[in-house]
Amino acid sequence: MSKTIAEPKVADEGVTFTVEVGFTDRECLVSKNALAHLRRMKGSGQTDFMQTYREFEDQIHSVARRLVVAGVSGSPLILGAAYFV
């Protein structure tokens, strides 16, 4: 049986996505503030939030997985700019 994880989507607050840790899926949201912070760190010009998410997807998912393992609560789990400093 194969499992399908929803594609990331732009929301009012940022980009929603799902990470899998162990056998558990966790809904997450990387905030627009965090995406803007990542964009500034790279020195990118104007790009949309989904493009920024895609450029930093590995880093964003890594942070999300660490937060899940650390037991951070919330549904969705919200990743703010402070997690990317």
Side-chain angles (χ1 to χ4, degrees):
M1 176 191 288
S2 67
K3 182 173 169 180
T4 304
I5 293 182
E7 284 293 312
K9 294 181 182 138
V10 176
D12 290 339
E13 304 86 13
V15 175
T16 60
F17 62 97
T18 303
V19 292
E20 184 177 350
V21 179
F23 295 105
T24 304
D25 290 343
R26 185 76 183 270
E27 295 298 318
C28 303
L29 178 128
V30 59
S31 71
K32 287 183 177 179
N33 189 29
L35 292 167
H37 173 74
L38 290 168
R39 186 172 52 222
R40 282 191 303 274
M41 282 179 30
K42 186 179 178 186
S44 295
Q46 295 287 11
T47 57
D48 67 18
F49 289 115
M50 184 57 79
Q51 183 178 350
T52 302
Y53 169 84
R54 291 290 186 199
E55 288 176 21
F56 291 94
E57 188 170 7
D58 291 339
Q59 183 179 353
I60 292 167
H61 281 235
S62 176
V63 168
R65 284 187 190 97
R66 282 183 272 150
L67 292 173
V68 170
V69 169
V72 176
S73 62
S75 185
L77 176 62
I78 298 175
L79 286 70
Y83 291 118
F84 299 96
V85 179

